Amino acid sequence: MGLGRFLTSAALALTVAGTALAQQAAQPAQTSPPREYNQRFLVPGSSFHGVHGIAFNKDDQLFAGSVVGQTLYHVQVDSGEVDRVVEPPAGMADDIAFADDGTMAWTAFLIGKVYVRRPNGKVIEVANGMSGPNGVGFTKDGRLFVSEVFLGDALYEIDLKNVDKPDFKPFARKELRLVAEKLGGLNGFEIRRDDGFLYGPLWFKGQAVKINIETGAVEVVASGFTTPAAANIDPQNRDNLFVVDTGTGDIWSVSLTSKAKKLVATLKPGLDNLAFDSRGRLFVSSMTDNAIYLVDKQTGAARTIVEGKLAVPADLAVVTENGRETVHVADVFSYRTVDGATGTVSDVLRVHGDTHSYPIGISVGPRNVLLSSWFSGTVQKVDRKTGKLAASLGDFAQPVDAVEGNDGTLYVAELGSGNLVKVSPDGKTRTNLAKDLRAPVAMAQGPNNVVYVTEIAAGAVTQVDVASGARKVVTDGLSAPEGIDVGPDNRLYVAEVGQKRIVAIDPATGAKTVIASNLDIGLPTYPGGPPALVPTGVAVARSGTIYVSSDLRNALYKLTPPAPEK
């Protein structure tokens, strides 16, 4: 999975430490209303937080991994039921493989580690300090190979001979055997049992290749793919290599003998991995749809095993037109909209199909919808009229949110630098409007040139005048404030994630009022990760209805104001 740039360890250490201090100092809300808002799920949740690597063990049990969810799951292919097998953070799995003896291996992409789980259930960290460990595979005799992609570009072998000894320590990257480097993004691969060669996709070259695991020699098997993400051998016909193309949603078979390509099926962009069971049935995963599908190799028809309406909902914005409320969702693996009345979810942009960004921040401006991504370091403009990507601005220091002024000026909050950056309408000029923000998470526009910023490491909401740069703390003592919006009553509505609630704040006095409690929000970050891995989004409509993203359930809340007392 391509997650682009990541935060520096120094910046992360500061923000995480600051968050801990802020949470320790957090105070309860000052006031509470007699009745809270009515809460219900407008969009139901799903099992995963983006599903990536999938693999069957020798007993035909299917396992699936989630990077953002940091969890490894067992999936019942007949019922679609999902159970948790390895919890966060060790359960973070971008790819999964099984050895013949039942040992399971997986790659923890964000934390640079590789784990194995022995048949007796013991989990062992076998390597750390890697740069984006991604694809993983075993040889017939149990040798383990791991690729680095996106943050690195290499193939390594990890020696497992002594991992069961009490004094075993995980290998550092420099201690691994380097097989090959500068491959072009070797992603999900398989090592064929009969010939011992590795077969896999090169993400950045659009190729499927054959690699000698002893010498590192590479032979192109097929080319012309858009973004090949994974490749596996068909157990019913060992001459057929199946390749999933995440950029198009296509599934191809390639003859290793003739090199002929055949289109097997076309699903939606955002496919990530594939696996065959012992009967040769083909299963594919979709990170964008939180889904696993069973694909008929003959007809191309796909049957849903498990699927989600949303993948990993983060920041939100809401627009009211002709009495209709439309919620815009930064869904990490896509940009989607939700009908506020029916809960119907619609795609606007899908990662790797329409964009290569991973949006976690979103706002709707006069001309554009802005998508911010600390994963890829970008702020993207999506034209409101056409829904098409209009521009992509890069080289930010982990941008978490952005808003657009009436003249087209952008204001971008950077987690990596703590700056609020002013960007000219043409995107060419940048100036720092405010500095030393303490782990900003989200922004909202107020009246009279004002923007409000939540600072999770400070437990505060700060007001910044974008004309003068003047700033002041509106309120502090909050426990992990994340999403924010300005309501029709001019109060600030904030997701106080540390208390799992929404509070309304008077910007003049800082007084807080609890709006809704006991919400399923607050997906934990990973060790060394940003304090708000997936920010809880808040959007307030003209009607006073509040929409809140549930990052724990991958769902969307609708909070309705209580009826006036008679």
Side-chain angles (χ1 to χ4, degrees):
M1 180 185 70
L3 293 180
R5 300 172 187 159
F6 294 87
L7 303 175
T8 64
S9 58
L12 286 171
L14 288 172
T15 54
V16 173
T19 302
L21 291 173
Q23 291 177 344
Q24 291 173 8
Q27 301 296 320
Q30 294 176 358
T31 60
S32 296
R35 292 178 301 156
E36 296 184 2
Y37 282 40
N38 174 63
Q39 54 182 270
R40 68 180 180 89
F41 285 114
L42 178 64
V43 180
S46 54
S47 299
F48 310 112
H49 294 82
V51 57
H52 306 292
I54 55 174
F56 283 93
N57 67 5
K58 60 183 179 180
D59 298 321
D60 261 358
Q61 296 177 318
L62 180 62
F63 292 80
S66 173
V67 171
V68 176
Q70 307 168 61
T71 304
L72 205 151
Y73 305 87
H74 171 232
V75 182
Q76 299 280 358
V77 297
D78 295 323
S79 66
E81 294 181 11
V82 177
D83 301 310
R84 300 166 72 95
V85 177
V86 182
E87 297 290 336
M92 179 189 293
D94 202 353
D95 196 15
I96 304 168
F98 283 93
D100 287 351
D101 68 355
T103 296
M104 176 168 56
W106 66 92
T107 50
F109 181 81
L110 293 174
I111 56 179
K113 297 183 178 184
V114 180
Y115 293 92
V116 298
R117 182 176 186 255
R118 290 306 203 187
N120 63 7
K122 183 180 180 181
V123 174
I124 306 169
E125 179 186 327
V126 297
N128 59 33
M130 298 191 72
S131 298
N134 199 302
V136 63
F138 284 100
T139 63
K140 185 177 181 179
D141 56 356
R143 295 166 62 190
L144 179 63
F145 290 79
V146 177
S147 68
E148 291 179 333
V149 189
F150 311 115
L151 304 183
D153 189 5
L155 175 66
Y156 294 92
E157 180 177 3
I158 301 176
D159 188 347
L160 298 183
K161 286 197 300 289
N162 298 315
V163 299
D164 294 305
K165 294 184 177 180
D167 60 348
F168 172 76
K169 294 182 180 180
F171 292 107
R173 185 183 188 221
K174 63 182 180 181
E175 298 173 315
L176 305 178
R177 182 176 82 87
L178 175 64
V179 178
E181 58 186 339
K182 298 180 181 179
L183 293 165
L186 176 62
N187 215 297
F189 61 81
E190 180 180 342
I191 301 174
R192 205 164 87 164
R193 294 295 199 260
D194 51 1
D195 67 7
F197 283 92
L198 182 153
Y199 296 85
L202 298 185
W203 180 285
F204 297 107
K205 292 184 177 180
Q207 298 172 339
V209 298
K210 172 183 178 181
I211 299 177
N212 186 316
I213 60 175
E214 308 303 338
T215 67
V218 178
E219 175 188 335
V220 177
V221 174
S223 59
F225 302 103
T226 300
T227 313
N232 275 20
I233 302 291
D234 183 349
Q236 290 184 321
N237 183 349
R238 306 297 294 179
D239 184 59
N240 278 348
L241 179 70
F242 276 70
V243 181
V244 296
D245 192 327
T246 190
T248 61
D250 292 336
I251 303 169
W252 295 85
S253 68
V254 180
S255 169
L256 298 178
T257 302
S258 68
K259 308 296 177 68
K261 291 169 59 180
K262 177 184 176 183
L263 182 62
V264 175
T266 298
L267 306 182
K268 293 180 180 180
L271 300 182
D272 197 293
N273 213 297
L274 74 163
F276 291 94
D277 67 5
S278 64
R279 290 186 280 169
R281 296 189 300 172
L282 172 62
F283 295 78
V284 300
S285 65
S286 169
M287 54 186 161
T288 307
D289 294 315
N290 255 358
I292 297 174
Y293 303 107
L294 170 60
V295 179
D296 190 303
K297 294 183 294 186
Q298 305 304 319
T299 67
R303 178 169 71 84
T304 300
I305 303 300
V306 60
E307 189 179 52
K309 298 292 185 183
L310 297 170
V312 192
D315 198 15
L316 306 175
V318 62
V319 174
T320 304
E321 294 177 331
N322 300 319
R324 177 184 177 184
E325 295 174 1
T326 301
V327 186
H328 296 252
V329 185
D331 200 22
V332 177
F333 300 108
S334 64
Y335 157 34
R336 289 178 159 129
T337 59
V338 178
D339 187 301
T342 66
T344 301
V345 179
S346 302
D347 288 340
V348 182
L349 300 178
R350 295 173 69 92
V351 168
H352 301 307
D354 306 295
T355 173
H356 290 277
S357 177
Y358 292 80
I360 58 98
I362 192 169
S363 66
V364 178
R367 300 176 181 84
N368 300 289
V369 175
L370 303 182
L371 304 176
S372 304
S373 173
W374 68 261
F375 290 113
S376 58
T378 58
V379 175
Q380 295 187 314
K381 295 181 180 181
V382 180
D383 188 283
R384 286 188 60 180
K385 293 182 179 179
T386 66
K388 302 296 183 182
L389 187 62
S392 185
L393 306 178
D395 298 320
F396 290 102
Q398 296 83 44
V400 288
D401 206 3
V403 295
E404 181 184 49
N406 289 327
D407 63 352
T409 299
L410 305 187
Y411 302 94
V412 181
E414 294 182 330
L415 176 60
S417 68
N419 294 335
L420 179 60
V421 181
K422 180 179 179 180
V423 183
S424 61
D426 61 8
K428 296 180 180 180
T429 303
R430 301 181 184 185
T431 55
N432 291 330
L433 188 63
K435 297 181 179 181
D436 300 320
L437 295 171
R438 293 154 294 180
V441 176
M443 293 194 296
Q445 288 179 294
N448 303 319
N449 298 316
V450 163
V451 297
Y452 298 98
V453 186
T454 55
E455 298 177 84
I456 192 170
V461 175
T462 295
Q463 173 186 300
V464 180
D465 187 311
V466 298
S468 66
R471 58 195 282 186
K472 70 173 185 178
V473 174
V474 174
T475 192
D476 56 14
L478 295 169
S479 179
E482 295 187 7
I484 184 172
D485 200 6
V486 179
D489 56 1
N490 291 322
R491 291 193 297 174
L492 310 180
Y493 291 78
V494 176
E496 192 180 9
V497 174
Q499 297 289 345
K500 296 189 179 298
R501 64 191 180 190
I502 305 299
V503 294
I505 301 170
D506 185 328
T509 66
K512 311 177 190 77
T513 302
V514 176
I515 297 300
S517 304
N518 301 315
L519 301 176
D520 286 330
I521 56 179
L523 184 70
T525 191
Y526 56 90
L533 177 61
V534 179
T536 296
V538 176
V540 187
R542 294 176 190 169
S543 64
T545 298
I546 305 170
Y547 298 91
V548 180
S549 59
S550 170
D551 52 4
L552 288 179
R553 287 179 175 260
N554 303 314
L556 184 65
Y557 282 107
K558 183 175 183 178
L559 309 181
T560 307
E565 293 183 343
K566 297 181 179 179

